[in-house]
Amino acid sequence: MSGLQLLSEHRCFGGFQRFYRHDSREIGLPMQFAVYLPPQAEQGAVPVLVYLAGLTCTEETATIKAGAQQWAAQHGLALVMPDTSPRGANLPGDSDSWDFGVGAGFYVDATEQPWAAHYRMESYVVRELPELLKTLPLDVSRMGICGHSMGGHGALTLALKYPGVFRSVSAFAPIAAPGRCPWGQKAFAGYLGEDREVWKRHDASELMAQARNPFPEGILIDQGLADKFLAEQLYPEAFEAACAKAGQPLTLRRHAGYDHGYYFIQSFMADHVVHHAGVLSK
Ligand SMILES: N[C@@H](CCC(=O)N[C@@H](CSC=O)C(=O)NCC(=O)O)C(=O)O
């Protein structure tokens, strides 16, 4: 018994788009996630690309808007799209703002009260989800991770913290230095407390500055230059500098005219799937 409840299944590019619900051990509440199984999964276990979405999103957002399934079908990659926070905890203030609490779990394990009991998105993504995925035709020894904005922060930090879990990493417009930006400072103070040394353990630019070329096949980041959040919230240049210091190959592409939304993500999704498929097929 996997404990997974299949909520819906839809034919999509020769494979299946599925939505699951389960009682989460780490979160202590029911959680939902989306899985795209490409046609190749009918022949055997396929590699997995985990996609972490941004603030205000659910497991459905990128499933509907990112246009990733067509490329995943071509390259034989499964897509796993989790939710962005616990839901139903009903903690005081958890729905007062769109950048903290519900829809804004920031992919960390909270240590502060009242968040610590349920806001455990790091352990959920890194430990519980792979165990659940083993019950599907998925090869969790070949997993990559990608994400957007808050999810880009999640993808970069979880890849850097758990290189044994994720073999490839990429991001769209990631919050690349959360310790320096209002979104990150608010989330880290709320979930982790005021100690900035603790924040550094969850900050992609700080983690990368201490690393030594952990992803020799490179990291891919796309960033729109018409992104309204770029100057105040994202700091790709901090991650770029940290990669240079660490000897980490980075392809950081800056695109004139593209904003922060899913039209931008759709435009470059094929390249991200190719990036991950190239690493995970070896
Ligand atoms: N409500 C906000 C906008 C919220 C927003 O733009 N969310 C982004 C992620 S931002 C960083 O994590 C997102 O992906 N939204 C979903 C979508 O469908 O675009 C505001 O008022 O500005």
Side-chain angles (χ1 to χ4, degrees):
M1 276 288 289
S2 70
L4 290 180
Q5 178 191 359
L6 181 63
L7 297 176
S8 66
E9 180 178 71
H10 315 270
R11 266 282 179 199
C12 183
F13 291 101
F16 292 96
Q17 180 63 56
R18 293 181 180 172
F19 291 90
Y20 287 101
R21 182 182 174 92
H22 66 103
D23 289 325
S24 169
R25 177 190 74 215
E26 295 291 344
I27 304 292
L29 290 165
M31 290 289 283
Q32 293 186 185
F33 65 90
V35 177
Y36 175 68
L37 294 176
Q40 295 84 341
E42 289 181 30
Q43 267 73 59
V46 293
V48 180
L49 176 57
V50 175
Y51 177 96
L52 303 181
L55 294 164
T56 72
C57 294
T58 71
E59 73 285 358
E60 208 179 16
T61 310
T63 307
I64 294 172
K65 292 183 165 184
Q69 291 92 338
Q70 59 188 309
W71 312 118
Q74 273 187 26
H75 294 277
L77 210 55
L79 303 169
V80 172
M81 299 181 171
D83 203 348
T84 55
S85 77
R87 291 180 199 265
N90 299 321
L91 300 173
D94 70 0
S95 300
D96 289 355
S97 52
W98 59 267
D99 56 2
F100 186 79
V102 174
F106 261 84
Y107 306 104
V108 296
D109 288 349
T111 52
E112 294 296 293
Q113 299 305 337
W115 312 101
H118 299 295
Y119 279 69
R120 297 181 47 75
M121 290 301 290
E122 177 170 341
S123 291
Y124 176 69
V125 170
V126 168
R127 274 187 271 283
E128 185 169 7
L129 208 47
E131 288 171 27
L132 294 165
L133 298 179
K134 279 184 197 161
T135 65
L136 301 173
L138 303 177
D139 180 357
V140 297
S141 71
R142 290 185 291 156
M143 273 206 310
I145 190 162
C146 172
H148 169 230
S149 195
M150 174 185 74
H153 142 76
L156 295 174
T157 54
L158 297 184
L160 288 165
K161 285 190 245 183
Y162 303 98
V165 177
F166 301 109
R167 288 170 49 181
S168 54
V169 57
S170 73
F172 296 92
I175 302 171
R180 295 191 201 182
C181 78
W183 281 340
Q185 290 167 353
K186 179 175 177 178
F188 285 3
Y191 296 136
L192 304 171
E194 298 292 347
D195 184 348
R196 287 178 180 249
E197 288 305 309
V198 173
W199 295 9
K200 288 181 182 172
R201 294 182 219 146
H202 307 278
D203 180 309
S205 297
E206 298 285 353
L207 287 166
M208 181 53 80
Q210 303 304 322
R212 286 291 159 267
N213 186 20
F215 292 93
E217 293 177 80
I219 295 174
L220 173 62
I221 294 181
D222 281 304
Q223 175 62 58
L225 293 179
D227 183 330
K228 67 178 178 183
F229 299 122
L230 175 54
E232 192 184 10
Q233 303 283 10
L234 303 179
Y235 292 95
E237 64 278 9
F239 190 72
E240 190 176 38
C243 284
K245 187 176 170 202
Q248 168 63 55
L250 169 70
T251 302
L252 170 54
R253 306 189 301 187
R254 295 172 165 93
H255 305 282
Y258 286 86
D259 65 21
H260 197 66
Y262 271 85
Y263 296 113
F264 155 64
I265 293 171
Q266 281 178 35
S267 304
F268 302 104
M269 180 54 84
D271 296 341
H272 287 249
V273 170
V274 167
H275 170 76
H276 289 275
V279 178
L280 299 174
S281 63
K282 288 177 188 156

